[in-house]
Amino acid sequence: MEFAFETEIIEWRGPSPFFFAPVPATHVADISSAARRVSYGWGMIPVTAAIGDITFTTSLFPKDDGYLLPLKDAVRRQAGLTAGDSVTVTINIRPR
């Protein structure tokens, strides 16, 4: 399954800062349905994601009835992204 969306980068300021691209609510039901087949530990969903010509693998985090796409520092730096930036993301759910 492939999903494309625009979202705003957020930062979680824990002991180590993390950056995420929240998945819009319009995709949550479809992703939740696919999650039953591919999810592992804590509801994580393996995906291949793309921002522009940068492609990377990661897993969606379930959060507050939605999902967050974690952005690796190497991806953020290469794309020149930080908190508050708008970004277009494409994700493909991967089999386990």
Side-chain angles (χ1 to χ4, degrees):
M1 294 182 97
E2 182 175 285
F3 302 90
F5 54 89
E6 188 165 324
T7 190
E8 185 176 305
I9 306 300
I10 61 169
E11 182 178 13
W12 179 74
R13 304 282 291 167
S16 298
F18 289 94
F19 293 83
F20 297 95
V23 176
T26 55
H27 298 299
V28 170
D30 290 332
I31 292 172
S32 293
S33 176
R36 292 183 212 124
R37 296 184 300 278
V38 300
S39 181
Y40 65 94
W42 306 291
M44 306 296 280
I45 301 169
V47 298
T48 299
I51 296 174
D53 61 353
I54 304 164
T55 301
F56 57 102
T57 58
T58 189
S59 295
L60 297 178
F61 288 32
K63 176 76 171 141
D64 298 331
D65 298 323
Y67 295 98
L68 298 174
L69 175 72
L71 298 177
K72 300 173 182 182
D73 284 341
V75 171
R76 282 191 324 97
R77 285 189 197 112
Q78 188 176 354
L81 296 170
T82 193
D85 290 346
S86 288
V87 64
T88 300
V89 178
T90 302
I91 59 171
N92 285 286
I93 296 176
R94 296 183 292 128
R96 265 194 286 187

